[in-house]
Amino acid sequence: MQLDLNLLTALDALLEEGSVTDAAARLHVSAPAMSRTLGRIRRATGDQILVRTGRTMTPTPHALALRATVHELVQQAQAVLSPHTQIELAALERTFILRWHDALAAAVGPALLHSLRAEAPGVRVRFLAEASTDTHDPRRGDTDLEAGSGEPSSPEIRHEIAGHDRLVLALRPAHPLCHGPLTIEDYAAADHITVSRRGRLRDPVDDALEARDLSRRVVAAAPTIATALQFVRRQDLVVAVPQLVSRPLLDDLGLCVRPLPLTMPAIPIHLAWHQRYDNDPAHAWLRGLARTALSQACESTGDPARDPADAATDEATDEATDEAAGGLIAE
């Protein structure tokens, strides 16, 4: 029996998208054509592959068992048929979609865009905000590269740590704690604001304080770093924010920045992309420039401004997971 190897590409798209319509859009064919292709795949495999459950399509156990093998075969075929790994950057015309934490895009995005345009003037970049819900699925193909503190959970998503950020204390210059020695007791006694898109009044700082038999009073929660810093700018409040991603706002607002008088884990910055881009030369180039921009930004982040008397209270920062750190923005 002679098989059409193009069915592998269609099967790979169907299993990743879980939808005839979305698979058709991905392969630039009509939905009826993809539906007919699914029929051919069913006849070839002797399995339904995708079955309707309500409004969605669910892969069969046989389809789930095939998924990894099918994807690997498609990747190998693409490598064979596209053996070149060099791209002409000067002639490259492509639009990349980057879904980055907004503060991270503000802090590192300008340097990345400068590097991209210097090497490939025809490239355009769309920076998108992080998804407003937890149901965003990068497998849908609407994102080329993600960056943030969260580690992807799907095995289909590749990721690497491009650097680490750390929490610092931000307060207005007129705040009593802006100058002079800062003890952990002074810090705990201040009025605090948290950063949480879900309005949570507690974050990992509270756990660190409780380990020292201390507690703090959180008077408000702000949904973003930018909002929290506006509160801090106008009132005697303190907030713990990631130094790297907050640096543009801290500089623009003229806020006082001090080391936290307690040890907090470092915050990993993850780059993530779908495995379909592994062998894409242009995407590999994009990842390389993003990796460089992020690592250089992390390396350039020095100690926050402080009085000499503060040296005794500046404790070393431990590297740890994002779960321990609470993320760039707490949920």
Side-chain angles (χ1 to χ4, degrees), residues 6-7 17 21 24 41 57-58 78 108 119-120 124 140 148 155 165 228-229 243 254 286-287 292 294 299 327:
N6 288 326
L7 295 182
E17 300 296 339
T21 301
I41 293 172
M57 303 280 290
T58 301
Q78 290 176 346
V108 184
E119 297 187 22
R124 299 190 299 174
R140 308 300 296 180
D165 205 347
L229 294 180
Q243 184 179 13
L286 168 69
R287 297 197 302 268
T292 298
L294 286 166
E299 292 171 0

Side-chain angles (χ1 to χ4, degrees), residues 6-213:
N6 288 326
L7 295 182
L8 280 176
T9 302
L11 178 56
D12 183 46
L14 285 164
L15 293 179
E16 287 199 1
E17 300 296 339
S19 163
V20 171
T21 301
D22 292 339
R26 174 173 162 181
L27 297 183
H28 306 290
V29 299
S30 67
M34 181 57 69
S35 182
R36 291 192 294 271
T37 300
L38 176 57
R40 295 174 59 196
I41 293 172
R42 285 169 170 169
R43 291 191 293 273
T45 61
D47 187 83
Q48 287 297 301
I49 302 299
L50 291 175
V51 295
R52 184 164 295 281
T53 53
R55 296 184 178 181
T56 62
M57 303 280 290
T58 301
T60 65
H62 181 59
L64 291 174
L66 290 176
R67 182 160 58 185
T69 301
V70 169
H71 181 76
E72 183 64 26
L73 288 172
V74 170
Q75 290 291 306
Q76 291 178 2
Q78 290 176 346
V80 170
L81 296 176
S82 303
H84 67 282
T85 58
Q86 300 297 321
I87 55 175
E88 186 62 39
L89 292 176
L92 180 63
E93 292 190 5
R94 182 163 169 178
T95 299
F96 290 107
I97 301 176
L98 279 59
R99 190 178 295 276
W100 286 28
H101 184 282
D102 57 349
L104 189 60
V108 184
L112 174 58
L113 181 60
H114 177 78
S115 297
L116 290 170
R117 296 188 64 196
E119 297 187 22
V123 164
R124 299 190 299 174
V125 180
R126 294 175 58 199
F127 280 98
L128 302 183
E130 286 187 311
S132 58
T133 68
D134 295 333
T135 59
H136 171 68
D137 187 350
R139 294 176 299 176
R140 308 300 296 180
D142 61 352
T143 303
D144 288 289
L145 193 63
E146 297 192 358
S149 60
E151 179 177 346
S153 58
S154 171
E156 300 171 9
I157 304 302
R158 312 291 195 208
H159 69 96
E160 63 183 55
I161 295 178
H164 288 85
D165 205 347
R166 61 169 180 168
L167 293 175
V168 293
L169 180 64
L171 59 166
R172 65 176 181 170
H175 195 289
L177 298 183
C178 184
H179 303 287
L182 176 61
T183 67
I184 190 171
E185 290 79 13
D186 294 332
Y187 171 71
D191 287 336
H192 296 252
I193 184 170
T194 60
V195 180
S196 169
R197 64 175 181 267
R198 295 180 179 177
R200 292 178 176 171
L201 297 172
R202 181 184 176 87
D203 63 28
V205 170
D206 295 282
D207 298 329
L209 287 172
E210 288 179 359
R212 304 283 294 269
D213 295 324

Side-chain angles (χ1 to χ4, degrees), residues 246-257:
S246 306
R247 185 164 51 190
L249 284 170
L250 294 170
D251 292 343
D252 290 345
L253 297 176
L255 294 175
C256 176
V257 181

